[in-house]
Amino acid sequence: MSKTIGGLLKQATAHLSTRGLENPRTDAEYLLAFLMNRSRAFIIAHPEQRVDSQLEARYTDWIAKRGRHVPVQYLTGEQEFYGRSFRVTEAVLIPRPETEFAVEAVLDLLQQHPDFSHAVDIGTGSGCIAVTLACEAPRLSLSATDLSPEALEVARENARTHNCLDRITFLPGRTLEPVIAAGNLVDLVVSNPPYIGYAERDVVAREVLEYEPAGALFAGEDGTEIIGELFSQAPSVLQAEGFLVLEVGYQQALKVKQLGQASGWKHLESRFDLAGIERCLIFRRA
Ligand SMILES: C[S@@+](CC[C@H](N)C(=O)[O-])C[C@H]1O[C@@H](n2cnc3c(N)ncnc32)[C@H](O)[C@@H]1O
């Protein structure tokens, strides 16, 4: 006879508990609710309901993968960012809530500068920054770059889903090179670049290290390699009054501010995330 929701949850939670996951019960409930296209509240309230064998087989597969620390977002294929659902695959970083601070910073700058109309997002990944900006600021046109063609495909799909594909030009290539080649000046450069140093590899969580793309995480020995390229290349594409908005790593802000100053940038403002970490830095040419 087919299993009940309650029986499956008990089995899955027991399995995940032995695998060193932080929230085995929540993961078990979330994944089953997702597969059943129901809320977590529904599955908690209906433990006696039977689950068909096809769905049970898919759930068992997902629970085995989750037991190997595959992030839930790579199983469900989606992550919420700034109130919208984004498709994610293993080709892209899973959008993080702290990146919403960079989006907020750009939206505030757009409000203060009604003449701004063109921005670029460097290392767009899933497209979460570029697509959100396009949706939130209808006057904006954007370019979004990434070294990874697979990531750009995912970003394009997200732009299509959120009806802004016509306002974002997706450009493959390294850092600002494709934007420089296109020859357009822009008002804003925003980036959540790879910023983890190889030296910090040992402290990166297993889920991140094993499953998220290394090219989205690491940037040289101390994590500032791509940020350094942005500082040196951005003057070629930014209008004189334009801004550079960067997300930076935990405990990296001071080093990035010094690097910026040494490259001719003035640090104007920082945004702190919910954990009080200096997460987003706003620069202008000194
Ligand atoms: C930290 S992820 C950020 C993705 C997305 N913007 C977000 O916030 O979720 C960095 C992205 O930059 C891309 N990338 C890495 N090095 C790059 C480079 N030199 N030029 C352009 N993109 C790069 C990676 O492929 C990855 O998609």
Side-chain angles (χ1 to χ4, degrees):
M1 196 196 298
S2 61
K3 293 205 172 119
T4 61
I5 286 179
L8 277 177
L9 285 178
K10 202 169 156 198
Q11 212 175 3
T13 306
H15 176 72
L16 296 180
S17 300
T18 64
R19 300 291 162 148
L21 288 153
E22 263 176 43
N23 301 301
R25 176 77 189 186
T26 312
D27 287 355
E29 288 169 359
Y30 177 76
L31 291 173
L32 187 57
F34 187 92
L35 279 176
M36 294 182 74
N37 204 16
R38 296 281 195 178
S39 66
R40 263 178 75 206
F42 176 89
I43 64 161
I44 292 165
H46 297 86
E48 72 298 336
Q49 184 167 312
R50 297 211 170 263
V51 171
D52 77 53
S53 56
Q54 248 184 341
L55 199 144
E56 182 192 333
R58 249 187 109 196
Y59 185 59
T60 306
D61 175 54
W62 277 16
I63 290 299
K65 288 182 173 143
R66 184 68 190 128
R68 295 195 292 276
H69 289 237
V70 176
V72 289
Q73 295 90 339
Y74 289 149
L75 296 171
T76 61
E78 67 176 42
Q79 170 63 35
E80 191 259 3
F81 182 82
Y82 214 86
R84 294 181 182 83
S85 175
F86 281 79
R87 167 139 176 82
V88 294
T89 71
E90 295 195 15
V92 301
L93 188 93
I94 298 162
R96 305 294 204 270
E98 54 268 28
T99 303
E100 296 182 348
F101 290 90
V103 169
E104 288 282 352
V106 173
L107 291 175
D108 289 349
L109 288 168
L110 286 171
Q111 207 162 30
Q112 292 155 18
H113 299 269
D115 53 320
F116 280 7
S117 61
H118 199 157
V120 295
D121 171 25
I122 304 301
T124 197
S126 63
C128 61
I129 296 177
V131 170
T132 303
L133 289 174
C135 293
E136 297 291 323
R139 76 166 190 264
L140 200 61
S141 67
L142 293 115
S143 305
T145 78
D146 207 289
L147 259 187
S148 157
E150 294 83 9
L152 283 178
E153 266 317 300
V154 176
R156 226 177 247 119
E157 185 181 336
N158 282 318
R160 200 175 295 120
T161 303
H162 294 297
N163 298 316
C164 57
L165 190 55
D166 56 334
R167 282 191 294 121
I168 308 178
T169 306
F170 291 97
L171 301 168
R174 187 172 175 93
T175 320
L176 276 156
E177 282 169 12
V179 186
I180 295 170
N184 301 323
L185 287 184
V186 302
D187 304 302
L188 286 150
V189 174
V190 57
S191 184
N192 171 21
Y195 52 62
I196 303 174
Y198 292 127
E200 302 165 76
R201 205 186 148 81
D202 291 347
V203 295
V204 179
R206 177 180 164 192
E207 298 201 12
V208 176
L209 203 55
E210 282 185 21
Y211 295 102
E212 298 207 58
L217 303 172
F218 296 102
E221 202 49 32
D222 72 349
T224 59
E225 194 176 288
I226 312 290
I227 290 171
E229 286 178 26
L230 287 166
F231 279 137
S232 61
Q233 294 177 350
S236 309
V237 301
L238 260 187
Q239 302 276 12
E241 299 300 298
F243 294 89
L244 172 61
V245 177
L246 293 178
E247 179 174 325
V248 298
Y250 171 67
Q251 290 184 333
Q252 201 179 37
L254 180 62
K255 193 183 243 180
V256 173
K257 283 187 271 185
Q258 288 167 343
L259 194 62
Q261 199 177 10
S263 325
W265 292 87
K266 185 170 160 39
H267 168 246
L268 300 175
E269 191 193 330
S270 294
R271 301 283 172 109
F272 293 75
D273 69 15
L274 294 175
I277 297 167
E278 197 173 3
R279 206 32 104 173
C280 170
L281 307 180
I282 304 174
F283 294 91
R284 204 177 220 179
R285 291 299 287 163

